[in-house]
């Protein structure tokens, strides 16, 4: 029977989100929240009833990494009294006098985990009661459960060491982790545990670090899993999102029961087959993509399985999903509004369970069921319809991509910037913002009402215009140099563009958990992408008509649009991105022809797309860079191109950033002073830079003095001619009461610094 590592927990209709938010705002009790959770688990197990095991402990009230930290009592000192569910949420969301733990992306997904903080001062202690309770809950419903648990090495590797020697802390964490296993085994003899160790896909160098300072080595990995297996655990160790060849070798020497490998995103795992065959391990072969939403091509999956079976005996292969299904939406039941043809190409979590079941039957049974054969026939039809559909193959788009030759700006930066400075007339330390202004409840209501048909286009347009007018007026009043229209017409920086381009489709209920109760609904790129008509021109032109100052146009870049969508799997990501790039290029051209002289192309997710293994980085950088350049090449030398990125760690990628050749880049540096900016100086970066001078992620209003000090710190690194002054990200999540004084202070601080130069 087939296998998964985890199922989406937020609920078909985001029941968990709703219950959590009600609980946090005091509108429901803990026991009400708990009963929603229990119902969801039961419902999700029922869906998994035909798998070999149902997953337990894949459920979480907030995040699995946090669950494990909590089970090990790995709580930062500021939360030392945290207990129960309330204490758990305090770590994730902060509490009075204690800031929340940091959150960061789970490998190359858009799921965020809560980063554990470890310190030599803390002591760890296992408490497996929550895990055991969930196990019994499933058992009592008649299922055979398998516990999903984050592996020790992944847990430790993702943690932040606040104080102390990694080696010493590692050994304390390990003791607690092993005690947790002891506690589980004591209550559940012969327990099956699937350990998720995605950190292993990063390769040995990344996992072990420098030999002298490393907390552990190869032998330790072998010894821990040997230890665990000997406790009587039926242990499966799984990796995903890439291959993990080096670690497979190590794990095969231990007495674990099985090994889980991703054959969708880690083709090189095929190279481990002989070693697996030579061992006695069961191979959990991840062949159904847990990261994407397309109907699997069962024929080619069967071929892949047969290929594996040429080396590893069939009776030791379990058909599995490549990773937890957490990363795809629940199911297609509520998508009746979607185009029927496209809908037939999609497979969300509950549909993937059926694919797994059928695949296992076709692969393993000597006489597969009639339904399985019927399903396969339908699956073939769906896949061939998709492959031959004119909607996935737009001849005009394909021809345009292969014919396009414009791949870089016409003149070099030095020439361009001279022309731009003359034409645009801005001085040193020019002030601007990143694009969005507060998304007020009124604004959201306006967009909602328009969508629902409560108000007509005219009323909607008037509402948006009013907002833009207010934004422009405010920016003029405080004396900003380069203005923005405020992005009131956008719900989301990717969705807004996806909705206006061909080749995209949007689900009604295709939510995926991003963090805690927060979910996103990624656009789906199903076909060739093109831009039928201008997307932002009218609003930008309108905004420019209201002022003599320069109005900055605002676009989302091709790489970010790609990285925040579900991307078709029948064309390479590079090719899809190139198509998007040409659409953005068209928009830039329309804007410059329409009198917009500065255009910002946001690449918030450029860095997120970086591959997990060092050996693949070069290829990504090549095509991502190329796509950004295709988009912006159309800009005349006099048109100034800005880009924006929401992070500050550029040390590894500075050469690529430079090669993007944006005239101005605004980045997030407010939280790191000027230290992270130094790399720009080190490499002799010549283009202009706008390092954020204050942190917009907090409601705090920065004072004039504080911003002045920050600007001075920046001037220690880069000359005034090269610097722009701006906040560190868009302001849409803030309130006007915070934005107004903050920006006023920013302009004032800049003037004060300028006066002293
Ligand atoms: N222009 C966008 C905004 O200001 C950029 C947001 C982002 O980079 N995340 O909201
Ligand atoms: Zn940003």
């Amino acid at each position: 029977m087939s296998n998964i590592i985890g199922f989406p927990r937020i609920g078909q209709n985001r029941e968990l989100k709703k219950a959590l938010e009600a609980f946090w705002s005091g509108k429901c009790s803990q026991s009400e929240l708990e009963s929603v959770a229990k119902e969801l688990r039961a419902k999700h197990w029922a869906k998994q009833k035909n798998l070999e095991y149902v997953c337990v402990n894949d459920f979480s009230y907030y995040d699995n990494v946090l669950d494990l930290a909590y089970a090990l009592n790995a709580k930062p000192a500021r939360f030392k009294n945290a207990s129960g569910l309330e204490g758990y949420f305090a770590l994730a969301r902060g509490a009075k006098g204690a800031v929340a733990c940091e959150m960061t992306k789970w490998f190359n997904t858009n799921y965020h985990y809560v980063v554990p903080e470890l310190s030599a001062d803390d002591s760890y202690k296992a408490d497996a009661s929550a895990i055991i309770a969930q196990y019994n809950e499933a058992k009592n419903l008649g299922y055979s459960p398998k516990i999903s648990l984050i592996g020790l090495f992944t847990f430790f590797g993702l943690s932040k060491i606040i104080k102390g020697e990694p080696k010493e802390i590692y050994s304390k964490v390990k003791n607690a982790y092993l005690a947790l296993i002891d506690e589980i085994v004591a209550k559940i003899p012969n327990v099956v545990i699937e350990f998720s160790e995605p950190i292993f896909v990063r390769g040995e160098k990344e996992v072990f670090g420098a030999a002298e300072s490393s907390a552990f080595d190869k032998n330790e990995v072998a010894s821990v899993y040997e230890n665990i297996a000997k406790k009587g655990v039926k242990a499966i160790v799984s990796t995903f999102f890439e291959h993990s060849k080096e670690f497979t070798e190590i794990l095969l020497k231990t007495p674990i029961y099985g090994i889980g490998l991703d054959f969708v995103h880690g083709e090189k795992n095929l190279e481990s087959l002989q070693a697996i065959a030579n061992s006695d391990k069961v191979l959990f072969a991840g062949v159904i993509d847990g990261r994407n939403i397309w109907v699997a091509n069962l024929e080619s999956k069967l071929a892949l399985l047969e290929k594996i079976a040429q080396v590893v005996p069939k009776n030791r292969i379990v058909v599995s999903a490549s990773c937890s299904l957490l990363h795809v939406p629940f199911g297609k039941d509520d998508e009746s509004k979607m185009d029927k043809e496209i809908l037939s190409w999609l497979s969300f979590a509950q549909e993937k369970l059926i694919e797994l079941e059928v695949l296992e039957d076709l692969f393993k049974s000597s006489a597969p069921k009639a339904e399985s054969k019927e399903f396969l026939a339908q699956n073939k039809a769906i896949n061939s319809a998709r492959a031959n559909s004119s909607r996935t193959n737009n001849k005009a788009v394909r021809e345009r991509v292969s014919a396009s030759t414009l791949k870089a700006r016409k003149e070099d930066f030095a020439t361009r910037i001279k022309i731009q400075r003359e034409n645009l007339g801005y001085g040193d330390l020019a002030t601007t913002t990143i694009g969005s202004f507060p998304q007020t409840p009124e604004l959201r209501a306006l967009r909602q009402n328009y969508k629902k048909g409560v108000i007509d286009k005219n009323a909607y347009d008037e509402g948006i215009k009013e907002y833009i007018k207010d934004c422009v007026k405010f920016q003029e009043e405080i004396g900003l140099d380069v203005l923005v229209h405020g992005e009131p017409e956008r719900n989301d920086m990717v969705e807004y563009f996806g909705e206006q381009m061909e080749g995209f489709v949007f689900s009604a209920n295709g939510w995926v958990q991003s963090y805690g109760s927060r979910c996103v609904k990624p656009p789906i790129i199903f076909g060739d992408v093109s831009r039928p008509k201008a997307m932002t021109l009218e609003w930008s032109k309108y905004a420019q008509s209201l002022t003599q100052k320069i109005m900055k146009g605002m676009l989302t870049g091709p790489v970010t649009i790609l990285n925040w969508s579900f991307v078709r799997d029948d064309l390479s990501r590079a090719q899809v991105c190139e198509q998007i790039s040409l659409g953005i290029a068209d928009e830039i051209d329309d804007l410059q022809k329409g009198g917009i002289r500065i255009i910002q192309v946001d690449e918030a997710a450029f860095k997120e797309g970086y591959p997990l293994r060092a050996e693949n980085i070069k290829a990504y950088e090549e095509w991502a860079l190329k796509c950004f350049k295709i988009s912006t090449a159309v800009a005349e030398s006099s048109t100034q191109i800005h880009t924006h990125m929401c992070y500050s760690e550029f040390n590894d990628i500075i050469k690529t950033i430079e090669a993007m050749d944006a005239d101005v880049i605004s980045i997030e540096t407010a939280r790191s002073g000027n230290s992270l900016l130094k790399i720009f100086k080190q490499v002799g970066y010549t283009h202009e830079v706008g390092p954020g001078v204050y942190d917009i992620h907090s409601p705090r209003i920065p004072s004039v003095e504080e911003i002045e000090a920050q600007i001075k710190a920046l001037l220690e690194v880069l000359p005034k001619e090269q610097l722009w002054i701006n906040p560190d990200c868009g302001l849409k999540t803030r309130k006007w009461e915070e934005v107004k004084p903050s920006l006023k202070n920013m302009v004032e601080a800049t003037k004060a610094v300028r006066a002293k130069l």
Side-chain angles (χ1 to χ4, degrees), residues 49-189:
K49 66 178 191 300
N50 293 331
L51 299 177
E52 180 146 21
Y53 308 105
V54 299
C55 295
V56 307
N57 201 44
D58 61 333
F59 180 85
S60 176
Y61 280 109
Y62 204 96
D63 163 48
N64 300 99
V65 179
L66 178 62
D67 292 347
L68 180 55
Y70 214 60
L72 300 176
N73 194 39
K75 295 181 288 198
R78 63 186 182 282
F79 293 108
K80 69 175 185 300
N81 295 323
S83 72
L85 199 55
E86 203 180 312
Y88 171 86
F89 287 134
L91 266 74
R93 309 179 67 235
K96 220 176 173 169
V99 292
C101 296
E102 199 183 295
M103 250 181 332
T104 193
K105 282 185 187 269
W106 174 246
F107 298 86
N108 57 359
T109 74
N110 202 9
Y111 175 78
H112 300 70
Y113 66 92
V114 176
V115 182
E117 295 173 26
L118 306 175
S119 158
D121 296 340
D122 298 337
S123 52
Y124 305 113
K125 189 178 177 307
D127 176 1
S129 55
I131 300 172
I132 295 166
Q134 267 188 49
Y135 184 96
N136 290 332
E137 204 177 291
K139 190 94 194 159
N140 292 337
L141 290 169
Y143 299 113
S144 86
K146 174 191 70 181
I147 294 174
S148 292
L149 194 66
I150 302 221
L152 171 63
F153 298 97
T154 296
F155 177 78
F156 185 76
L158 298 183
S159 297
K160 202 159 77 177
I161 299 206
I162 302 299
K163 185 181 161 193
E165 273 299 307
K167 255 192 184 102
E168 217 173 282
I169 297 173
Y170 166 74
S171 103
K172 288 197 332 190
V173 172
K174 169 180 149 185
N175 290 340
Y177 191 90
L178 293 176
L180 187 81
I181 307 289
D182 283 332
E183 212 183 303
I184 295 173
V185 178
K187 292 272 164 47
I188 314 165

Side-chain angles (χ1 to χ4, degrees), residues 434 493 602 604 644-647 666-668 696-697 728-730:
I434 305 304
M493 64 187 282
D602 289 324
H644 166 70
M645 297 191 183
C646 304
Y647 26 78
S666 61
I667 56 175
E668 188 264 278
I696 64 94
H697 305 86
D728 71 354
C729 197

Side-chain angles (χ1 to χ4, degrees), residues 465-481:
K465 281 184 178 170
E466 273 311 305
Y467 186 97
I468 293 176
K469 245 188 239 166
D470 290 345
C471 282
V472 171
K473 188 161 161 262
F474 162 68
Q475 294 174 84
E476 284 190 325
E477 266 166 24
I478 62 167
L480 278 160
D481 297 314

Side-chain angles (χ1 to χ4, degrees), residues 248-249 252 271-280 311 316:
T248 301
E249 234 169 73
L252 288 177
E271 294 169 18
S272 297
L273 294 180
Q274 193 55 55
I276 296 170
N278 296 343
S279 76
D280 61 347
V311 189
R316 279 206 272 133

Side-chain angles (χ1 to χ4, degrees), residues 314-379:
K314 235 181 210 188
N315 61 3
R316 279 206 272 133
I317 301 172
V318 177
V319 178
S320 306
S322 68
C323 62
S324 167
L325 302 181
L326 174 75
H327 307 291
V328 294
F330 187 95
K332 299 202 298 183
D333 297 354
D334 303 304
E335 301 301 338
S336 55
K337 286 208 187 100
M338 196 189 285
D339 178 288
K340 290 281 161 310
E341 189 185 8
I342 296 169
L343 186 62
S344 73
W345 302 341
L346 305 184
S347 168
F348 295 167
Q350 79 180 0
E351 289 80 27
K352 285 180 193 287
L353 291 177
I354 318 261
E355 291 179 348
L356 283 163
E357 199 186 312
V358 171
L359 204 51
E360 171 88 15
D361 186 35
L362 293 169
F363 175 56
K364 291 274 190 68
S365 313
S366 47
K369 292 184 208 141
E371 304 97 86
S372 299
K373 289 193 209 154
E374 171 65 14
F375 192 94
L376 178 65
Q378 278 172 14
N379 178 272

